[in-house]
Amino acid sequence: MPPFAIAPTHVILHQNNQSGWVEWDVTGDVRTFLSHQANNYGWIIRKDDEGASGQVDYASRENTNPPQLVVELGDPAPPAGNGLTAISDADVRSGSPNQNQGNRMRLQAQNSGNNRVLVQFDRTAMLATVGSGTLQTAKLRLY
């Protein structure tokens, strides 16, 4: 399949002027990463209707509220903390190819040039977080 042509694992609806944390359910993805059924390349965030006007900005890992992966476990009790912090993030822009966008304070998804957001978390840290517990849910959170 061509890049970005696969069906999304989770879709959320953004409202104009929405702020705060946004969450996607990525439980199935994390399970396949941990079981070696798929490579952990992270996630691509894009607008569902890229022909519609507007943009969505998220805080990058260089910002106050970096992307998080929040994992909830069954027994034994989960470790304390808000979640894993992204090891890498960037936005890619079809209108600005071959330029580093990985050190910006924000991640931008928009229709102009079909910008997409990329976020990745460390697989070893995922394994350590789950440990001998049972993965119940995993949520990708962007602010």
Side-chain angles (χ1 to χ4, degrees):
M1 286 189 136
F4 312 118
I6 60 174
T9 55
H10 191 221
V11 176
I12 60 168
L13 176 64
H14 281 252
Q15 303 293 330
N16 288 339
N17 301 317
Q18 180 178 340
S19 62
W21 289 101
V22 178
E23 294 183 345
W24 290 265
D25 183 351
V26 294
T27 307
D29 296 336
V30 171
R31 283 189 177 128
T32 61
F33 297 159
L34 295 177
S35 66
H36 299 284
Q37 295 175 14
N39 289 322
N40 174 17
Y41 295 123
W43 289 275
I44 298 172
I45 293 94
R46 68 174 178 88
K47 289 177 56 180
D48 187 44
D49 182 357
E50 291 184 314
S53 63
Q55 74 182 40
V56 181
D57 292 331
Y58 301 107
S60 73
R61 61 192 197 103
E62 286 81 15
N63 211 316
T64 307
N65 295 307
Q68 297 179 351
L69 180 64
V70 178
V71 176
E72 295 177 6
L73 305 176
D75 292 330
N82 290 335
L84 302 173
T85 300
I87 59 169
S88 60
D89 63 19
D91 55 50
V92 291
R93 302 171 181 205
S94 66
S96 301
N98 303 319
Q99 293 185 14
N100 181 6
Q101 305 294 339
N103 58 357
R104 295 171 13 122
M105 296 293 285
R106 64 185 175 139
L107 304 167
Q108 190 175 73
Q110 68 181 32
N111 69 319
S112 175
N114 291 333
N115 295 7
R116 293 180 174 123
V117 173
L118 309 173
V119 182
Q120 184 181 31
F121 295 83
D122 182 58
R123 184 182 171 281
T124 303
M126 287 182 210
L127 283 167
T129 300
V130 173
S132 62
T134 303
L135 177 66
Q136 297 297 319
T137 64
K139 294 179 183 175
L140 171 62
R141 296 180 75 211
L142 298 180
Y143 188 82

